[in-house]
Amino acid sequence: ETNTLPFHPFEMQQGDILRMEKEHQVLKEQLKEAQEKHEQLQSRSSEEISAVNELLKKSVEETEVSKNELNWFHQDLEMKVKKWQQEKKENQENLKALRNTAKKHTDTNDRYLKAIDEKEKQYNVYLNTYLETSNKFANEKVKLEELIKKSQDDCQECVKRAVKAEISILQNWKEVEAYKLNGRAAKAEANLKMLKSLGSSASAPPKLKSQIDSWEKYISDVKKQLEKVETEYEEKIEMVKNDVRNCLTKVEIVDLPSP
């Protein structure tokens, strides 16, 4: 209001506008002097420019020739650079792959070395255990061999006794069955003898002959059964003597009904 405060935003402090106007006037005077000097220099330089243009024209022609040669050189250089970059890229990729492979091999080698150390420690432990166990088993083996020999002797003795027992059992079965069949045959022969004595009399009944035939057939069947039983039991006894197993079974007897 009294022009005593800075006029923002054009003044930072009082009097900045006046100072800027004075500086502007000085710059205008300096610009005028510079324009005059420029006109003088331009007049002198026009002649020099014409001479330089001649030289420039000649240089341009020479440069054009050199430019062509340079283009050829650039093309050749670009091809070589591209080839070199391609080879560099391939070499870098190969180097990277080789480094990865080397790292993998190194890691694998470290793992194998560590595993080998652990396996070697385990092997030493197992070896010591094996040696101790082997010595223990060797001693036990000697004892077991002695026991096996003794057991084999006992087993052979038991086998002999078992064979004798089986033969004795089969012999007893054969004698029992033979006793039974011989008893039946003896009774049948007594009956047959009685029937034959009755058949010699004149008052013998007509059916007596058929009864005599029946008893004779019965006696024949009993004797065949007896022969079969004795034969089969003897075969079983021979099989037991020849070390055949599972022979201790009774011979099947056919129940023959008497007439």
Side-chain angles (χ1 to χ4, degrees):
E1 296 170 352
T2 59
N3 200 21
T4 57
L5 298 173
F7 181 44
H8 294 292
F10 304 103
E11 287 183 326
M12 297 299 295
Q13 61 183 1
Q14 187 180 359
D16 283 347
I17 294 177
L18 294 175
R19 284 193 295 272
M20 289 176 67
E21 286 180 349
K22 290 179 182 180
E23 291 174 359
H24 182 64
Q25 187 65 33
V26 172
L27 290 173
K28 287 174 81 175
E29 291 176 359
Q30 290 177 354
L31 180 60
K32 183 177 180 182
E33 291 177 359
Q35 285 178 348
E36 290 176 355
K37 289 180 181 180
H38 176 69
E39 290 175 355
Q40 292 174 2
L41 290 172
Q42 190 174 14
S43 63
R44 287 198 303 270
S45 299
S46 60
E47 295 177 357
E48 296 176 357
I49 289 171
S50 61
V52 170
N53 284 333
E54 290 295 329
L55 292 173
L56 181 61
K57 183 179 178 181
K58 185 178 180 181
S59 297
V60 168
E61 292 175 355
E62 293 176 354
T63 303
E64 191 67 28
V65 175
S66 299
K67 185 178 180 181
N68 293 331
E69 295 177 353
L70 184 62
N71 288 333
W72 296 337
F73 175 74
H74 281 166
Q75 291 176 358
D76 185 51
L77 182 63
E78 286 178 356
M79 292 177 64
K80 290 182 178 179
V81 168
K82 287 181 180 179
K83 184 178 179 182
W84 176 79
Q85 288 178 345
Q86 183 66 25
E87 292 177 353
K88 180 182 178 182
K89 183 179 179 182
E90 292 176 357
N91 291 332
Q92 286 177 344
E93 291 176 353
N94 292 332
L95 180 61
K96 184 178 180 181
L98 289 173
R99 285 177 178 172
N100 292 332
T101 304
K103 188 175 184 302
K104 289 180 181 178
H105 290 331
T106 302
D107 295 340
T108 303
N109 190 36
D110 293 338
R111 288 198 304 271
Y112 286 161
L113 289 174
K114 186 177 180 181
I116 288 170
D117 291 338
E118 293 177 355
K119 294 295 182 184
E120 188 173 0
K121 291 178 182 177
Q122 291 180 359
Y123 169 75
N124 291 328
V125 173
Y126 291 156
L127 179 61
N128 293 330
T129 305
Y130 167 75
L131 292 175
E132 293 176 0
T133 307
S134 179
N135 294 330
K136 182 179 178 182
F137 283 168
N139 296 329
E140 292 181 356
K141 181 182 177 183
V142 174
K143 295 179 182 178
L144 288 174
E145 286 177 349
E146 295 176 355
L147 291 173
I148 288 170
K149 186 175 184 304
K150 185 176 181 302
S151 298
Q152 287 176 344
D153 295 339
D154 294 342
C155 181
Q156 290 178 357
E157 186 65 27
C158 290
V159 169
K160 290 179 182 178
R161 290 201 302 270
V163 169
K164 288 181 181 179
E166 288 185 7
I167 292 173
S168 177
I169 291 171
L170 291 172
Q171 189 70 34
N172 288 333
W173 284 351
K174 184 187 79 168
E175 290 175 358
V176 168
E177 295 298 332
Y179 176 78
K180 290 179 181 179
L181 292 172
N182 283 324
R184 291 180 182 179
K187 289 180 181 180
E189 287 176 351
N191 291 331
L192 180 63
K193 184 178 180 181
M194 183 184 65
L195 290 173
K196 284 183 178 180
S197 64
L198 292 174
S200 60
S201 64
S203 62
K207 294 182 178 181
L208 186 62
K209 187 177 184 309
S210 63
Q211 292 180 359
I212 292 173
D213 293 339
S214 297
W215 279 103
E216 288 178 345
K217 184 177 182 307
Y218 174 73
I219 292 170
S220 176
D221 292 339
V222 169
K223 289 182 177 181
K224 288 179 181 180
Q225 184 76 16
L226 176 62
E227 184 179 358
K228 174 178 176 295
V229 167
E230 289 179 343
T231 301
E232 290 188 9
Y233 273 114
E234 287 297 328
E235 289 177 354
K236 287 180 178 289
I237 290 171
E238 288 300 321
M239 291 172 67
V240 171
K241 290 180 179 179
N242 293 327
D243 295 332
V244 179
R245 297 289 179 261
N246 299 324
C247 296
L248 197 62
T249 56
K250 287 187 177 183
V251 176
E252 185 178 355
I253 305 299
V254 178
D255 188 14
L256 299 173
S258 60

